[in-house]
Amino acid sequence: VQLVESGGDLVQPGGSLRLSCAASGFTFRAYDMSWWRQVPGKERELVAAISNTGGRTNYGGSVKGRFSISRENAKNSVYLDMNSLAPEDTAVYFCNAVHSVENPTPYWTSWGPGTQVTVSS
């Protein structure tokens, strides 16, 4: 299993970013997928999850209405569109499969390198 995140950058408050995750080594279209984020000294927290077909989504409370998760099964990729970014969104962002959108616990025990998002003026 390989998960490779990309798209992180330094962005000003109020700005937007799109993160991408390229997955390989498993049957991507069969798994619900998710985005997580972590800051030093804190536990990794769920940002958003999406069902294997893309028909159901689940968002963490702090990002609802600002972030949008999507996927392209033909490209084994999952995306996170982030709008109205705030300094508290600064974190390393990771993707992973989850057991289900309704029970979004990480499926794979190994994680990719993540991609750094920094929101600062």
Side-chain angles (χ1 to χ4, degrees):
V1 171
Q2 189 171 22
L3 301 163
V4 180
E5 303 88 353
S6 62
D9 205 346
L10 170 64
V11 62
Q12 291 190 345
S16 299
L17 275 179
R18 178 177 239 212
L19 305 184
S20 300
C21 169
S24 61
F26 62 102
T27 307
F28 180 80
R29 64 181 182 275
Y31 288 81
D32 294 356
M33 293 295 295
S34 61
W35 282 96
W36 301 73
R37 66 186 181 186
Q38 187 171 29
V39 297
K42 292 191 176 181
E43 288 190 3
R44 199 166 285 161
E45 67 168 346
L46 176 74
V47 176
I50 188 168
S51 62
N52 63 325
T53 61
R56 303 187 321 277
T57 56
N58 184 8
Y59 292 92
S62 63
V63 307
K64 281 182 181 177
R66 300 189 298 123
F67 291 10
S68 178
I69 188 170
S70 60
R71 64 189 295 162
E72 280 189 79
N73 286 346
K75 294 185 177 181
N76 284 4
S77 295
V78 60
Y79 308 100
L80 185 69
D81 289 298
M82 304 186 296
N83 298 304
S84 301
L85 283 161
E88 48 267 35
D89 296 316
T90 295
V92 180
Y93 285 71
F94 303 86
C95 65
N96 201 334
V98 288
H99 287 86
S100 73
V101 171
E102 292 75 20
N103 176 27
T105 53
Y107 195 92
W108 307 115
T109 55
S110 61
W111 295 78
T115 186
Q116 176 71 49
V117 172
T118 302
V119 185
S120 175
S121 55

